[in-house]
Amino acid sequence: MDSILVTGNGPLNGQIPIAGAKNACLTLMPATLLSEEPLTLTNAPRLSDIKTMTALLQSLGAEVSSLQDGQVLAMSSHDLTSQTADYEIVRKMRASNLVLGPLLARFGQAVVSLPGGCAIGARPMDLHVEGLEALGAEIELKDGYLHAKAPGGLEGAVHEMRFASVGATENIVMAATLAKGTTVLKNAAREPEIVDLVECLRKMGAQISGEGTSTVEIQGVDRLHGATHQVVTDRIELGTYMLAPAMCGGEVELLGGRMALVESFAAKLDAAGVKVEETPIGLKVARKNGRVNAVDVVTEPFPGFPTDLQAQMMALMCTAEGTSVLEERIFENRFMHAPELVRMGANIEVHGGTATVTGVERLKGAPVMATDLRASVSLILAGMAAEGETTVSRVYHLDRGYEHVVRKLEGVGAKIERIKGQ
Ligand code: UD1
C-alpha cells in the first residue's frame, strides 16, 4: 500500500488549481440515467470515486467514456440493461445510492443495495426512502437491498424532509423531474452541489425552481434530453488548500475558487487571523501574523461550516494560540483523525461529538494512519506544518477525493512525496 512522506518545509507560495467537485460529479453522473440522450460533463475530477461511479453506471448498461485525460465524461443511458445496483459496488461508496431516484423515475423500478456501515457513522437511507414513498414509490427492504417500484409512474407531492440530507434531496429532485405533476420539497438541502445538479437537470429540460433555498419545486416533464454541463468547483478541495498557507505561512492563490462557495469557512479563517481575498481568478490566502488564534467551530448543513472541512480545521487549531471547541453535528463518529494528530503532539480531548483542542507551538512529525478521506488530508496538512517527517499510510482514502495532491502541494513549495508500497 502506498504512503505519503511529508517533511515540514516552511512557508508556501504560488498557485493551486482547484478541480471540479467530487460530490457534484457523483450526483451529476447518475442524472444520465434519466434520459435516453447523451449527457456530457466537463471539468470532472480525476478520482477513484468517479471510477467507482463509472463502474456502477456501466454495470447498469450505460456507456461512460472518459476523455481528455478524465476531465470529460461522455455518458449515454440509451440502452440500459439492469436496474440493480449491486452490493459489491455500493459498499465501496455510499454515493452509489444516487442511482435510486433516477432509475425509479425512468423505469418505474430499481433495486439498490443499502450502503452498510461506513467509517464516519451509520448513514442510513430512511430520508431517501420517505421522500420517494411520498412520490408514490413502494419500497421494501429485502436481503440488504431496497426494492423500489412505481408501476404507474411517480406522482408529484408535497414532502418535508425531517433533516436536510444532501443525498436524499438529490435523489428526490432527480426522481421528481419525471413524475406526474408538481413536487414541493421542503427542508431541502441547499449545498452548491445541489444547485449544480439542478442547473444540469434544467439544461436537460427539467422544470425546477428554488434550488439553493430550503424549498425546491419541481414540475414533472415527460422526458429529459441530452446536455453538456461543467462541474462546479470543489469547495472542499478549495477549503482544504486554503488551510495550507494558514498552517505553513506564505501566500497561496487557489485558482477557480470563489468566496460564495466557502463563506462560513472563510469567516472562521478570518477570525483565526488568516486573510482571504477574492481575485479575478480565484481566492488568495495568507496568514496575517505568526500563530493563528483559536476559534470554535460547529458543523452544519450549508451554508454552515461544512463537516467535510472539520478534520482539516482541527489540524489548523492544533497549533493555534488558545483553546478551540469543535462540535461535529452531522456525523456521529467523525473524530478518528484526533488520535492520529495526538501522535504528532497535538493536545485534543474528545467527548462524544465535541473535540477540545488546545494549540501547541509546533507539531512533530510521526507515522500516522489515514482513516477516511478528509482525515487523510488533515494529516498531510499537519505534516506540512510539523517539525520533521510524517508518513501517512492508507492513502487510498486520499485518492478517492484529491487529484494530484502531491503535485499540487509540491507546486507551492511543500516537501511531499508518494512512496510506492510493495
Ligand atoms: C454528502 C456528501 C458528504 C458530506 C455530507 C454532509 C456526497 C457524495 N457526499 O453525503 O461528503 O459529508 O453530504 O455534508 O455528496 N442521514 C439519515 N438518513 C438518510 C440520509 C442521511 O439519517 O436517509 C444522516 C446521515 O447519517 C448523516 C446526515 O444525515 O448523519 C447527513 O447525511 P447526508 O446529508 O445525507 O450526507 P450524504 O448525502 O451521504
Side-chain angles (χ1 to χ4, degrees):
M1 249 186 273
D2 292 4
S3 55
I4 288 193
L5 174 65
V6 195
T7 312
N9 197 33
L12 308 173
N13 280 290
Q15 296 175 318
I16 301 179
I18 304 300
K22 168 181 88 75
N23 287 351
C25 202
L26 289 176
T27 184
L28 289 161
M29 292 175 76
T32 181
L33 300 169
L34 288 163
S35 172
E36 288 190 342
E37 294 180 22
L39 175 64
T40 300
L41 299 176
T42 62
N43 197 35
R46 279 74 56 94
L47 302 169
S48 64
D49 270 8
I50 302 301
K51 291 197 178 125
T52 304
M53 183 58 84
T54 299
L56 173 58
L57 294 175
Q58 287 171 336
S59 78
L60 303 173
E63 283 175 43
V64 184
S65 311
S66 172
L67 311 168
Q68 293 186 24
D69 193 27
Q71 281 185 300
V72 173
L73 296 170
M75 301 175 287
S76 166
S77 298
H78 190 273
D79 302 311
L80 292 189
T81 49
S82 159
Q83 282 104 43
T84 300
D86 200 82
Y87 178 61
E88 280 314 304
I89 300 183
V90 179
R91 71 183 175 87
K92 288 191 201 157
M93 184 181 71
R94 176 176 164 84
S96 307
N97 63 18
L98 294 169
V99 301
L100 175 60
L103 284 176
L104 187 58
R106 178 147 163 230
F107 300 100
Q109 58 178 25
V111 180
V112 175
S113 167
L114 275 184
C118 139
I120 60 173
R123 308 182 88 177
M125 279 192 67
D126 49 341
L127 301 168
H128 300 242
V129 169
E130 285 169 19
L132 296 171
E133 281 177 344
L135 299 184
E138 290 162 25
I139 304 181
E140 255 189 317
L141 178 64
K142 267 192 284 184
D143 309 325
Y145 282 76
L146 291 174
H147 292 250
K149 56 179 191 223
L154 295 170
E155 285 195 27
V158 178
H159 177 69
E160 179 160 354
M161 292 203 296
R162 286 181 287 115
F163 172 81
S165 152
V166 177
T169 301
E170 292 164 345
N171 249 331
I172 298 164
V173 167
M174 284 194 277
T177 58
L178 294 178
K180 285 186 212 96
T182 305
T183 298
V184 180
L185 184 61
K186 296 184 181 171
N187 196 24
R190 296 186 276 164
E191 270 67 3
E193 294 74 29
I194 292 168
V195 175
D196 202 40
L197 170 67
V198 169
E199 281 170 7
C200 175
L201 293 171
R202 209 178 269 133
K203 286 179 199 159
M204 295 169 75
Q207 291 188 15
I208 308 175
S209 60
E211 73 279 11
T213 76
S214 49
T215 303
V216 181
E217 191 168 318
I218 307 111
Q219 182 77 49
V221 295
D222 289 340
R223 56 185 298 276
L224 294 179
H225 50 74
T228 297
H229 180 78
Q230 180 180 333
V231 180
V232 67
T233 299
D234 195 317
R235 65 194 167 96
I236 306 301
E237 189 195 24
L238 172 63
T240 299
Y241 291 136
M242 284 166 77
L243 284 166
M247 292 183 68
C248 301
E251 185 178 86
V252 174
E253 190 171 22
L254 294 321
L255 303 179
R258 283 186 287 123
M259 194 63 107
L261 293 171
V262 284
E263 211 106 45
S264 60
F265 174 68
K268 285 291 173 194
L269 287 189
D270 183 63
V274 179
K275 192 164 130 202
V276 182
E277 233 182 6
E278 209 159 33
T279 70
I281 49 171
L283 290 181
K284 205 177 259 185
V285 181
R287 196 164 69 190
K288 290 178 205 160
N289 303 305
R291 261 169 94 181
V292 296
N293 310 314
V295 288
D296 295 341
V297 168
V298 178
T299 64
E300 287 171 328
F302 191 85
F305 192 99
T307 174
D308 285 352
L309 286 172
Q310 178 260 110
Q312 302 90 310
M313 189 69 178
M314 188 185 287
L316 176 69
M317 288 300 107
C318 286
T319 54
E321 191 107 46
T323 297
S324 61
V325 177
L326 290 94
E327 199 184 325
E328 174 56 60
R329 289 211 189 144
I330 307 292
F331 293 110
E332 68 265 36
N333 184 21
R334 206 173 196 183
F335 285 138
M336 277 130 19
H337 42 283
E340 301 299 315
L341 290 167
V342 167
R343 303 193 68 243
M344 300 178 70
N347 182 347
I348 307 171
E349 275 180 43
V350 174
H351 294 288
T354 302
T356 306
V357 185
T358 304
V360 296
E361 186 114 6
R362 186 117 198 240
L363 294 172
K364 294 196 170 56
V368 287
M369 198 179 281
T371 49
D372 69 52
L373 167 57
R374 306 303 171 186
S376 61
V377 82
S378 77
L379 298 172
I380 289 179
L381 289 171
M384 281 163 52
E387 192 184 322
E389 288 189 347
T390 296
T391 313
V392 184
S393 54
R394 299 205 176 159
V395 290
Y396 54 86
H397 290 292
L398 198 69
D399 298 332
R400 292 187 45 203
Y402 289 91
E403 65 167 44
H404 305 314
V405 65
V406 168
R407 199 195 297 170
K408 287 186 183 188
L409 288 171
E410 241 175 9
V412 292
K415 206 165 164 209
I416 176 167
E417 61 181 301
R418 189 167 179 127
I419 313 282
K420 288 266 164 226
Q422 301 79 7

